[in-house]
C-alpha cells in the first residue's frame, strides 16, 4: 500500500520557521516528481512548490519564492519543505503529492498520490 505521510506542521508565530517532511512508503518515488500544495479554510487547494525526480528543477509559487525551499532525499524516500518568514497568510493544511512522471508540475490533477496533510498555523 502506497502512503505519503506529512509531518512537521504546527503553530508558529509570524516570522518563524517550520520544516515539513513527507515520508513515502509502499514504493520508491526516486524517479517521480513531487510537490507541495496547501489549502486554506474556504479556499481551493493551491500549488506551493515542486521538485523533479533528481532535484535539478524546482518551481515555486510566487507566494513561496524566497521564503520556502523544497528538497528531497531519495535514499530516504522523503520530501521536505523548509519554510521561513512565515506569515498568517501561510496558514493552511499542507499536502505533499507525487506524480507518475519525473518532471515538475503545478497542476493538482497531474499528481496521483497524496498525503493526508499537516496543519500549519501562523499567529500574528
Amino acid at each position: 500500500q502506497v502512503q505519503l505521510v506529512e509531518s512537521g506542521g504546527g503553530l508558529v508565530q509570524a516570522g518563524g520557521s517550520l520544516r515539513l517532511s513527507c515520508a513515502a512508503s509502499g514504493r520508491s518515488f526516486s524517479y517521480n516528481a513531487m510537490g507541495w500544495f496547501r489549502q486554506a479554510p474556504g479556499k481551493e487547494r493551491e500549488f506551493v512548490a515542486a521538485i523533479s525526480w533528481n532535484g535539478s528543477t524546482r518551481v515555486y509559487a510566487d507566494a513561496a519564492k524566497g521564503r520556502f525551499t523544497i528538497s528531497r532525499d531519495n535514499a530516504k524516500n522523503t520530501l521536505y519543505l523548509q519554510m521561513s518568514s512565515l506569515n498568517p497568510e501561510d496558514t493552511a493544511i499542507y499536502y505533499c503529492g507525487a506524480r507518475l512522471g519525473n518532471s515538475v508540475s503545478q497542476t493538482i490533477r497531474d499528481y496521483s498520490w497524496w498525503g493526508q496533510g499537516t496543519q500549519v498555523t501562523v499567529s500574528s
Side-chain angles (χ1 to χ4, degrees):
Q1 181 182 359
V2 177
Q3 278 191 312
L4 299 177
V5 179
E6 300 95 336
S7 62
L11 174 64
V12 63
Q13 288 188 331
S17 299
L18 282 175
R19 188 194 196 202
L20 306 183
S21 299
C22 172
S25 62
R27 63 162 281 170
S28 171
F29 287 99
S30 298
Y31 297 102
N32 301 89
M34 300 185 74
W36 288 97
F37 291 74
R38 67 186 183 185
Q39 187 166 14
K43 296 186 177 181
E44 294 185 350
R45 191 173 299 191
E46 64 177 8
F47 170 75
V48 176
I51 187 169
S52 61
W53 70 278
N54 61 356
S56 63
T57 302
R58 308 181 194 202
V59 178
Y60 297 92
D62 287 344
K65 287 178 182 176
R67 300 188 301 127
F68 295 1
T69 301
I70 188 171
S71 62
R72 64 190 298 164
D73 185 337
N74 286 342
K76 295 182 178 179
N77 218 17
T78 301
L79 177 72
Y80 303 99
L81 185 68
Q82 177 68 48
M83 305 186 294
S84 60
S85 301
L86 287 163
N87 58 63
E89 290 69 39
D90 295 316
T91 294
I93 299 174
Y94 284 70
Y95 299 91
C96 70
R99 297 194 61 206
L100 279 173
N102 56 24
S103 58
V104 298
S105 172
Q106 302 182 38
T107 305
I108 292 174
R109 64 176 179 269
D110 286 342
Y111 289 76
S112 301
W113 296 277
W114 291 96
Q116 83 292 346
T118 185
Q119 176 71 48
V120 171
T121 303
V122 184
S123 63
S124 57

